Amino acid sequence: MPDVNVTIDGVRVAVPVGTNVVDAARMVQTAIPVFCYHPRLKPAGMCRMCLVQIGTPKVDPATRQPVLDENGQPVIAMMPKLQTGCTTPVSEGMVVKTVTEEVAAAQKGVLEFLLTSHPLDCPVCDKGGECPLQNLTMQWGPGKSRFDYNDKVHFEKPVKLGDLIYLDRERCILCSRCVRFQDDIADDPVLGFDMRGRNWQIISKSEPGFDSKFSGNTTDICPVGALTSADFRFKARVWELESKPAVCTLCPVGCNVSLDMRHDELMRVMPRENAAVNDIWICDKGRFGHRFIASSDRLTTPLIRRNGTLQPATWEQALQLVAEKFAAVLSSSGPQAVGGIAAPRLSNEDLYTFQKFMRQLGSDNLDHRVGAPGAPVLDDLVADVGVGVGTDLNALGQGTTVIVVGADPEEEAPVYMLRLRAIAERGGHLVVANLRPTKLDRSATLRLRYGLNRDIAFARALLKAVHEQVAFQNLNARTQPG
Amino acid sequence: MALTEHVVMRELDIPGIGDFDIYRQHGGWDAYCVAVKEQTPAAVVAVVKEAGLRGRGGAGFPTGVKWGFLPKGVYPRYLLCNCDESEPGTFNNHQIIDNNPHQLVEGVAISAYAVEANTAYIYMRGEFAAAARTLEAAIARAYAEGLLGKNILGSGYDLDIHVHRGAGAYICGEETALMESLEGKIGQPRLKPPFPAVAGLYGKPTIINNVETLTNVPMILQKGVAWYRQFGTEKSPGTKCFSLSGHVNRPGNYEIPFGLPLRELIYSPEYGGGMRDNRPVKIIIPGGASAPWLTGDKLDVTLDYEALAGAGTMLGSGAVIVLNDTVQAPHLAYKMDEFFKHESCGKCTPCREGTHWLVKTLHRMTEEGHAYAEDIPTLHSIYGQMAGNCFCLLGESAVMPIKSALRLFPQEFEQLVTQNGNGQHNGKHPIALESVR
Ligand SMILES: Cc1cc2nc3c(=O)[nH]c(=O)nc-3n(C[C@H](O)[C@H](O)[C@H](O)COP(=O)(O)O)c2cc1C
Ligand code: SF4
Ligand code: SF4
Ligand code: FES
C-alpha cells in the first residue's frame, strides 16, 4: 500500500494510507491519549479524549495546486476546531499538533468531565494499578476536581451482566469498547445500551446474561474497572502479581497466556499478545478454567508404587527411578525398545524438548497424534497447504481463501473463530464446509454441506478438483500459442 | 405589511386547503405531474437551486446544492423528511401538517423525484400522533389518485412514501441519529464522514430535508423562480414561518419574507402585537434554544440568515422566543440547559457530563439559592470545555444558553452570589476541606 507523509509535532513520518492520526502518532513515539479507541476495534469517536489540532496543505481552488509560502513550503490550513485523532485518517502533507495549549485544555477538560461521574473508588477497584483512567488522569488530567461530590450520579453496584462478568455502572465511562468487541470481534452481539444522557448504561441483551464464550476479553479492554470477572474480583491487587508466560493447554489453539501469580498461587489467567496465535484474545475456558490447578483431588507430589501401594516421593526420587528404568531397558534391549508419545496440545517448545530427549536416548519412536491406528493422517496435508511456519494471520485478508472443513471452531478452538472472522472482515474468502451449521457460518463467504462421515471424502474431492483445475490451467498455458 | 400571498401557510389565502380536492383545484399536485411526465430530475434540481431555497431545519444550507451532492449512479436512494420538530420554541412543522398537508406530501414527492429516490420516509416526532394520521390520510389519497405507487401517471417512475413515528427524542432530529432511529437502532448520531448524501439510510445515498423546506418546493415549481425570489433578500430568498413565542401578545406562527426587522415581528399588530403588559424586551432567542441570545436593544436586526449571523446569533429553526424583564438570565439558562441535559444522548463525554454538571450547578444557584463565587468561573470553564469538543451539535447548542447568560448578564450571576451571603445554607453542599478531599 502506498504511504502518506505526515508531520506530527514537527516529526515527519510516512505511514500507510488509511492509518488514523492516533496510530500514525504512535509510529513516532507520540502518545495521543485515548479511551474509546482501540486498535482492534472500529473507531467510534465518542470519548473525545484524542482531540488534537490537524491541518492540511492549502490548495489553490483555481489551479488545484498546493499554495506555497515564501520559502517554497506548503501553507498549512489548520482546522478551526480540534479533531478526534482516532477517526481522522491521515492525508498527504497533513500536520498534526498534539502539544498545544488548546489540546492540553481539551484533554484536561475531557478527563475532568469523565471524573465528575466517576465514583473515585480506586482503593477497592480491581482495575487499580492497571487502569487507563488512572494513568491518563495522572498524565493529562487536572489535579483536582471542581465538581461537587454530592452531585455525583449513583447506580446500584455492581450488577451481574452474566455469571462471569460484573458491571459497575458508576465506573463505566461509556466508551462502548465492550459492545463493539461483542458485535464486531466476537460476533456475539449480546451487549447494548439502554436509556440516554447521564443514565445511558450498558446492559446485557441475552438470556442467559452475557452469553458469549469470549466475555472475559471485555474486562481486558474495558479502560476502567467497570467490567470485572467473578473469577478475579477482589482476589488480589495487581501490583502483587507476577506474570509467568505460559501456553494454554485446553484446546489446540495454544493461546499465549500469562499466569498471574501471587507467590505460589495462581490468581488469574490473562492473554499474552502473539500475532501468530491468539492476537490479544483468549476464550473464557482458557481464562476461567484454571481452578483445577488448586484442586485438592490433584496430584501434588510424585507417587512411587512400593509393595503394591502408591506412596508419595520427592522429585529426586521419582526422576532417579525413571532414569534407572530407562537405563535397564536400554542396556538389555537397546534404544529401539523405548518410544515416546507426547500429548498433542503441548507447545512446540515442549514437543521439541521431548523429541530431543528421546533421540538422545537413541530412539526415533515418537508420536503425538490422536486417533485410531490406520486413520488417515491429515497433519501432513495441513503442513503442506495450510497454516504453517511464518503464517501471519493478521496479514491475511483480501486475496486469501481459507477453507474450514468439518470443524466447529467456536467449540473446538474458540480463538480461531475470532481469527477466521477477522480474515473475512478484512476481505478474505472464508469457505466453511461442515455437515451441520456452526456459528462460523455467519462469517463465511461460502457455506458448503456434506453428509455424515463424508468429511474426508469431501476434502479429497476438493483437492482433486483443485488439482485438476491447476493441471488444466498448466496444460492450457503450455498449449497456448505464443 | 402582511403577505397577500403565502408560500407555505396557504390556508390563509385559500380556506380549506387542507382538503385534497380544494388543494387540487388550486393547482395542487400540478407541478408534480408536470415534473414526473415532462421534466428530468436534473431540471427540477436546477430550478430549486436557482430559487435559492435554503434548508429550514436549522443550518440554512441551500437545498438544491445539497441535492447535487449525491454520488452519480448509486441506487437506491432515499429522501427523508425531517418532522422531528423538537427544538424548543419551534412549532411550525406541526401547523403545516394540520393546515396544508397535501402541499408537504407533494413537496416530498417532487423532491423524491428530483433526487431519484423511489422511497421516502417522513420521520415524525413521537408525540405527533394526530399529525401522523393526517399525513397518512393525505398519502393514502395520493395513492388513490395515482400520484404515488408504481409507474406513476405512466411515467415509469415509482414512489412510496411512509410515515414513521419516532419515540420522542430531540436528538432524533439530527440527521444521522434520525437514520439510526429509522433503522430501528438507538437514536444517536453517526460519525461523519461519510455524509448522508453518500452513505445515509441503510448505507445508501440519502437526502434529508425539513418539513418547511419541502413544503416550499411545489410552489417554487408551480410559480417559478422569479415569483419566489420576489420575497426575501438576495441571499435569503423566499419566506419563512417564524414561530413566535414568549411574552408577546400574539404568539403563533407567522410567515413573513426574510429580511423583516425583529421589531416588526414582535410589535406589528399583524404579528406579535407587542409585549404583554407593555413590559420591555429583555432577551430574544431568535432561532430556537440552540441560538445565542440577543439583548432587547437589538430589535433592528433583520430576520435573515446573514443579518442574524452578523449579530452573533443564528436564524436556526426560526423559533423566536421573546422574553421580558421579569425573566432572570441565570434561571433561563438553567431551564434551557435542563432541556439539553434531558435530551443529551449520552454518546460523548463533553455533552453527557457537561450538561449534567451545568444543570446541577445552575439548579443549586437558582432554585436552591446557594451560589458561590467560584461557581462563575467554573460555569465559564464547563461550557468552555464543551464548546467545539462535542460529537454533534446538540452538545454545542447546550453551550449557547449558559454562555449567552454569562456574557450578557454577568451581574445577575454575581447577584446570586451576593444574595447567598445571608447564611441560608441548606446543608446539602458542604464545602470541601483541603485535607479531606
Ligand atoms: C440536535 C439536533 C436536532 C435537530 N432537530 C431537527 C428537527 O427537529 N427538524 C429538522 O428539520 N432539523 C433538525 N436538525 C437539523 C437536521 O440535522 C438537518 O440539518 C435538517 O433536517 C436538514 O434539513 P434542511 O436542509 O431542510 O434544513 C437538528 C439538528 C440537530 C443537531
Ligand atoms: S463497561 Fe467498560 S468497556 Fe464497556 S462501555 Fe463501560 S467503560 Fe467502556
Ligand atoms: S453532543 Fe454527544 S452526547 Fe450530546 S447529543 Fe451529540 S453525540 Fe450525544
Ligand atoms: S479515543 Fe478518539 S474519541 Fe475516544
Side-chain angles (χ1 to χ4, degrees):
Chain A
M1 258 202 268
D3 280 354
V4 190
N5 297 296
V6 292
T7 307
I8 295 164
D9 293 338
V11 184
R12 279 177 64 92
V13 63
V15 297
V17 170
T19 309
N20 67 49
V21 166
V22 169
D23 283 341
R26 291 204 291 166
M27 295 178 195
V28 293
Q29 317 297 311
T30 296
I32 298 174
V34 300
F35 282 115
C36 67
Y37 178 62
H38 188 289
R40 299 298 190 282
L41 303 172
K42 286 184 202 124
M46 299 158 59
C47 74
R48 320 303 285 173
M49 191 61 217
C50 63
L51 290 166
V52 289
Q53 276 182 322
I54 297 180
T56 45
K58 203 169 163 177
V59 175
D60 185 332
T63 60
R64 300 233 141 259
Q65 290 302 306
V67 181
L68 301 180
D69 65 11
E70 61 271 22
N71 301 322
Q73 292 299 312
V75 177
I76 301 296
M78 295 307 284
M79 296 184 205
K81 290 207 304 184
L82 300 179
Q83 303 290 316
T84 44
C86 71
T87 63
T88 311
V90 291
S91 61
E92 185 58 39
M94 182 182 270
V95 170
V96 179
K97 294 183 183 166
T98 77
V99 274
T100 68
E101 250 173 60
E102 288 98 319
V103 173
Q107 289 165 333
K108 205 163 137 185
V110 170
L111 272 165
E112 185 177 24
F113 278 148
L114 284 175
L115 293 173
T116 58
S117 290
H118 190 278
L120 306 176
D121 55 354
C122 307
V124 295
C125 175
D126 290 297
K127 200 82 170 187
E130 55 178 16
C131 174
L133 181 59
Q134 280 186 331
N135 297 346
L136 296 188
T137 302
M138 297 299 273
Q139 200 170 347
W140 276 281
K144 208 169 142 180
S145 175
R146 294 167 292 175
F147 189 77
D148 191 328
Y149 200 86
N150 302 287
D151 287 343
K152 283 202 187 283
V153 227
H154 290 293
F155 289 106
E156 178 202 340
K157 58 192 278 178
V159 289
K160 258 180 139 179
L161 284 180
D163 284 344
L164 297 173
I165 308 291
Y166 285 83
L167 166 69
D168 184 324
R169 288 167 294 179
E170 295 186 344
R171 292 181 194 151
C172 172
I173 59 163
L174 300 163
C175 69
S176 89
R177 276 186 180 183
C178 53
V179 178
R180 284 177 285 145
F181 171 82
Q182 289 301 135
D183 288 358
D184 298 341
I185 309 261
D187 194 24
D188 288 322
V190 296
L191 295 186
F193 283 104
D194 200 12
M195 314 294 279
R196 72 177 182 208
R198 202 27 267 174
N199 288 321
W200 205 38
Q201 54 188 273
I202 298 287
I203 49 163
S204 164
K205 302 186 285 187
S206 63
E207 188 56 53
F210 207 164
D211 190 11
S212 171
K213 290 187 167 61
F214 305 99
S215 66
N217 292 301
T218 60
T219 63
D220 296 339
I221 58 174
C222 178
V224 291
L227 296 177
T228 48
S229 71
D231 182 61
F232 182 64
R233 274 177 74 74
F234 303 134
K235 283 276 163 19
R237 306 307 328 234
V238 296
W239 53 85
E240 304 167 332
L241 303 177
E242 201 184 334
S243 293
K244 305 282 188 193
V247 173
C248 177
T249 55
L250 297 182
C251 91
V253 177
C255 286
N256 289 202
V257 293
S258 67
L259 305 179
D260 285 0
M261 314 290 294
R262 185 169 62 190
H263 310 302
D264 285 344
E265 207 184 337
L266 176 61
M267 303 311 294
R268 65 173 180 183
V269 177
M270 294 286 276
R272 192 160 51 88
E273 181 170 356
N274 185 337
V277 184
N278 54 305
D279 197 6
I280 59 169
W281 318 116
I282 54 173
C283 77
D284 286 355
K285 185 164 57 171
R287 185 186 301 264
F288 301 129
H290 61 78
R291 294 282 170 199
F292 70 91
I293 292 174
S295 162
S296 55
D297 295 342
R298 227 185 125 223
L299 286 183
T300 48
T301 60
L303 301 176
I304 294 178
R305 195 180 300 276
R306 289 199 179 94
N307 306 323
T309 55
L310 287 168
Q311 292 174 2
T314 64
W315 276 106
E316 284 77 20
Q317 291 166 331
L319 290 172
Q320 180 68 32
L321 182 70
V322 173
E324 281 164 13
K325 299 253 169 180
F326 265 122
V329 176
L330 290 173
S331 69
S332 66
S333 318
Q336 287 313 308
V338 295
I341 299 173
R345 288 179 188 175
L346 291 176
S347 67
N348 287 342
E349 292 78 0
D350 289 341
L351 289 169
Y352 175 82
T353 314
F354 182 70
Q355 63 80 30
K356 188 95 184 161
F357 168 72
M358 293 307 296
R359 291 193 215 278
Q360 288 281 309
L361 297 182
S363 169
D364 287 332
N365 300 332
L366 284 158
D367 212 339
H368 68 278
R369 288 167 298 186
V370 275
V377 182
L378 286 170
D379 296 28
D380 300 347
L381 173 62
V382 172
D384 278 352
V385 299
V387 183
V389 179
T391 305
D392 179 359
L393 292 174
N394 274 343
L396 300 185
Q398 211 152 21
T400 316
T401 299
V402 181
I403 307 179
V404 180
V405 184
D408 183 353
E410 199 203 15
E411 297 292 339
E412 297 159 3
V415 163
Y416 273 162
M417 211 210 52
L418 309 188
R419 309 302 312 270
L420 290 166
R421 258 182 68 70
I423 294 171
E425 284 276 304
R426 288 190 293 264
H429 264 304
L430 180 59
V431 182
V432 177
N434 206 328
L435 60 88
R436 61 180 175 84
T438 66
K439 200 172 115 188
L440 192 62
D441 281 15
R442 300 215 296 249
S443 315
T445 49
L446 181 65
R447 299 160 200 81
L448 300 170
R449 290 278 171 275
Y450 49 73
L452 188 63
N453 282 335
R454 306 303 293 155
D455 43 359
I456 302 285
F458 170 83
R460 287 200 170 130
L462 187 68
L463 280 174
K464 181 161 177 277
V466 171
H467 188 74
E468 281 170 4
Q469 186 76 27
V470 172
F472 185 70
Q473 275 168 6
N474 288 347
L475 192 67
N476 248 357
R478 260 182 283 144
T479 53
Q480 214 60 227
Chain B
M1 235 224 348
L3 288 171
T4 49
E5 201 177 9
H6 292 83
V7 182
V8 172
M9 292 168 57
R10 286 169 66 219
E11 66 273 15
L12 300 174
D13 310 338
I14 306 165
I17 196 169
D19 180 87
F20 182 87
D21 296 315
I22 296 178
Y23 180 67
R24 198 78 174 90
Q25 281 155 24
H26 287 83
W29 285 102
D30 284 356
Y32 171 72
C33 294
V34 172
V36 167
K37 284 196 286 196
E38 295 166 21
Q39 283 172 292
T40 62
V44 179
V45 176
V47 174
V48 171
K49 208 180 262 182
E50 213 184 318
L53 174 62
R54 296 177 64 166
R56 306 290 197 251
F61 195 83
T63 305
V65 176
K66 187 194 264 191
W67 292 358
F69 288 153
L70 289 164
K72 299 231 165 356
V74 188
Y75 303 95
R77 294 169 174 182
Y78 296 102
L79 177 83
L80 306 183
C81 171
N82 190 342
C83 182
D84 193 56
E85 189 159 67
S86 314
E87 180 81 21
T90 314
F91 42 85
N92 65 38
N93 289 183
H94 197 296
Q95 185 168 328
I96 291 170
I97 294 169
D98 281 350
N99 295 338
N100 194 8
H102 303 288
Q103 191 171 324
L104 169 61
V105 177
E106 187 188 355
V108 171
I110 296 175
S111 308
Y113 178 74
V115 302
E116 299 176 65
N118 298 112
T119 311
Y121 293 93
I122 305 178
Y123 184 97
M124 316 265 307
R125 170 177 174 169
E127 292 87 342
F128 285 6
R133 280 194 294 274
T134 306
L135 276 184
E136 273 158 5
I139 292 167
R141 183 66 191 269
Y143 272 102
E145 300 286 332
L147 299 163
L148 299 176
K150 292 259 174 288
N151 189 19
I152 296 161
L153 308 170
S155 65
Y157 177 62
D158 304 337
L159 176 63
D160 287 309
I161 304 180
H162 307 277
V163 173
H164 179 92
R165 269 172 67 202
Y170 174 54
I171 189 60
C172 290
E174 196 281 336
E175 52 191 19
T176 57
L178 185 150
M179 289 169 202
E180 289 282 292
S181 167
L182 202 51
E183 290 180 12
K185 301 179 195 146
I186 194 165
Q188 292 193 326
R190 296 177 183 170
L191 268 180
K192 288 187 252 185
F195 291 94
V198 175
L201 188 67
Y202 303 116
K204 297 295 173 194
T206 302
I207 291 293
I208 177 163
N209 280 119
N210 171 263
V211 166
E212 188 186 344
T213 314
L214 295 176
T215 307
N216 272 272
V217 172
M219 292 301 277
I220 293 174
L221 264 88
Q222 195 185 326
K223 305 249 178 171
V225 170
W227 176 85
Y228 188 75
R229 278 192 172 269
Q230 68 175 307
F231 306 109
T233 68
E234 171 62 27
K235 287 191 171 155
S236 302
T239 63
K240 166 81 195 133
C241 301
F242 284 96
S243 302
L244 181 65
S245 67
H247 297 128
V248 291
N249 281 318
R250 285 162 41 91
N253 287 312
Y254 297 104
E255 180 174 347
I256 58 173
F258 281 111
L260 226 57
L262 195 44
R263 184 189 305 282
E264 197 169 332
L265 180 67
I266 298 172
Y267 284 99
S268 160
E270 288 155 332
Y271 310 129
M275 295 297 286
R276 247 196 274 160
D277 306 330
N278 287 321
R279 296 194 80 104
V281 177
K282 177 173 173 179
I283 296 166
I284 306 137
I285 314 178
S290 307
W293 304 353
L294 292 174
T295 46
D297 56 339
K298 297 287 181 335
L299 293 175
D300 294 322
V301 175
T302 56
L303 292 164
D304 54 88
Y305 292 103
E306 290 68 33
L308 284 165
T313 179
M314 60 185 207
L315 193 132
S317 64
V320 180
I321 306 171
V322 187
L323 299 161
N324 69 22
D325 60 345
T326 61
V327 171
Q328 293 299 304
H331 196 261
L332 180 61
Y334 160 61
K335 281 297 182 190
M336 290 280 176
D337 274 322
E338 170 74 33
F339 168 79
F340 288 112
K341 183 209 121 182
H342 184 257
E343 296 295 337
S344 167
C345 82
K347 183 164 182 161
C348 74
T349 310
C351 172
R352 179 183 68 235
E353 308 295 345
T355 55
H356 175 75
W357 190 359
L358 277 178
V359 167
K360 282 283 182 188
T361 308
L362 285 168
H363 183 268
R364 169 166 54 70
M365 294 174 80
T366 60
E367 302 267 306
E368 297 174 37
H370 296 281
Y372 307 111
E374 67 266 25
D375 286 336
I376 295 173
T378 303
L379 286 171
H380 273 289
S381 62
I382 300 174
Y383 78 70
Q385 286 167 200
M386 295 167 67
N389 295 345
C390 295
F391 188 95
C392 85
L393 286 177
L394 190 154
E396 303 294 337
S397 303
V399 169
M400 299 312 165
I402 182 62
K403 184 173 167 182
S404 299
L406 281 164
R407 292 244 169 125
L408 301 175
F409 304 97
Q411 69 287 356
E412 294 187 17
F413 287 87
E414 280 150 23
Q415 214 177 339
L416 287 176
V417 175
T418 347
Q419 281 166 3
N420 193 34
N422 60 14
Q424 297 289 313
H425 283 280
N426 65 359
K428 278 204 289 186
H429 299 277
I431 57 159
L433 296 179
E434 217 31 76
S435 59
V436 173
R437 208 169 247 196

